[in-house]
Amino acid sequence: MAAAPPAFTGNLKKALAGLRRINLDGLRWRVFDAKGQVLGRLASQIAVVLQGKDKPTYAPHVENGDMCIVLNAKDISVTGRKMTDKIYYWHTGYIGHLKDRRLKDQMEKDPTEVIRKAVLRMLPRNRLRDDRDRKLRIFSGNEHPLHDRPLEPFVMPPRQVREMRPRARRALIRAQKKEQANRAKEEEDAKNAKAEVTA
């Protein structure tokens, strides 16, 4: 007998909001695990599934994307210094009220909003955007209230790492040689110091 799924402790009303407005006939429920995934790469895959671009029936004017459930939003990762350098801006409408918030602070406040913004900004700005937004369900933890649906885990495609450019490779080799030379010099100095002590 399978173990019972963990009880959902979040806001159930918010998690199930707008489901009645979606035609769920024939839709697949794709589950994305965001743990350890790079934000932009995950968001681009979610955007493809939301638009239905992975189906042979794709048409830009027809809404035939699948439901997307994103788990572990709080464990998303970013490359470089984006955690401290990336800033979200918005304006309240009053003069001089341009607000900003760093990605690190947004992750502490609401990590689901980080993924939502990344995905929505990858979608085309047209009339289908609101329907696609309703099909996206993001949860900060591992628990969700949609266990009664036929869920399919989404397998992220393998990351294709580009070969290093020649100039960068040469710089890396120079740095490695310099480090080896420094290490050899330190070992020689240590040997000389030991010889002086014993003499």
Side-chain angles (χ1 to χ4, degrees):
M1 186 174 166
F8 182 64
T9 56
N11 188 346
L12 192 63
K13 189 175 180 182
K14 183 180 177 184
L16 302 176
L19 272 182
R20 281 185 237 153
R21 298 179 67 179
I22 304 170
N23 183 15
L24 299 174
D25 296 337
L27 287 188
R28 296 161 70 189
W29 293 73
R30 315 291 288 276
V31 179
F32 294 80
D33 189 5
K35 192 167 192 173
Q37 296 289 343
V38 179
L39 175 62
R41 295 175 189 279
L42 176 70
S44 63
Q45 293 298 322
I46 295 171
V48 165
V49 173
L50 280 177
Q51 294 175 80
K53 279 191 168 184
D54 56 342
K55 296 180 179 180
T57 57
Y58 169 73
H61 66 288
V62 177
E63 178 46 52
N64 61 354
D66 292 325
M67 293 290 297
C68 294
I69 302 170
V70 184
L71 305 177
N72 298 317
K74 65 180 186 302
D75 298 325
I76 200 86
S77 67
V78 290
T79 57
R81 300 177 184 165
K82 293 188 189 77
M83 195 59 82
T84 53
D85 290 1
K86 184 175 175 64
I87 302 174
Y88 294 101
Y89 293 99
W90 72 97
H91 202 285
T92 63
Y94 289 94
I95 296 172
H97 282 238
L98 179 66
K99 305 284 185 180
D100 62 2
R101 186 179 292 147
R102 295 192 182 278
L103 175 59
K104 187 177 181 182
D105 302 329
Q106 183 63 46
M107 288 293 289
E108 291 171 5
K109 186 176 175 63
D110 185 12
T112 62
E113 202 59 31
V114 172
I115 297 179
R116 185 175 303 282
K117 279 182 175 156
V119 172
L120 288 185
R121 289 171 183 182
M122 291 183 183
L123 296 176
R125 278 76 166 165
N126 55 21
R127 292 181 181 181
L128 303 176
R129 196 172 185 207
D130 290 341
D131 295 335
R132 288 167 176 164
D133 185 22
R134 283 188 205 101
K135 288 183 176 180
L136 178 62
R137 305 284 153 163
I138 307 172
F139 302 95
S140 60
N142 201 21
E143 49 189 37
H144 62 91
L146 303 165
H147 292 286
D148 55 337
R149 310 287 180 174
L151 305 177
E152 301 176 27
F154 183 86
V155 179
M156 289 288 287
R159 186 174 169 188
Q160 296 175 345
V161 181
R162 186 176 63 188
E163 202 174 311
M164 196 180 285
R165 292 182 175 159
R167 183 181 290 176
R169 191 188 294 120
R170 286 196 298 268
L172 182 67
I173 291 170
R174 279 197 302 271
Q176 287 173 347
K177 283 183 179 176
K178 191 175 181 181
E179 190 180 341
Q180 286 174 355
N182 289 342
R183 203 176 295 144
K185 188 179 179 185
E186 286 173 7
E187 288 174 3
E188 191 177 333
D189 291 344
K191 281 181 185 176
N192 292 341
K194 202 181 243 184
E196 287 175 8
V197 168
T198 53

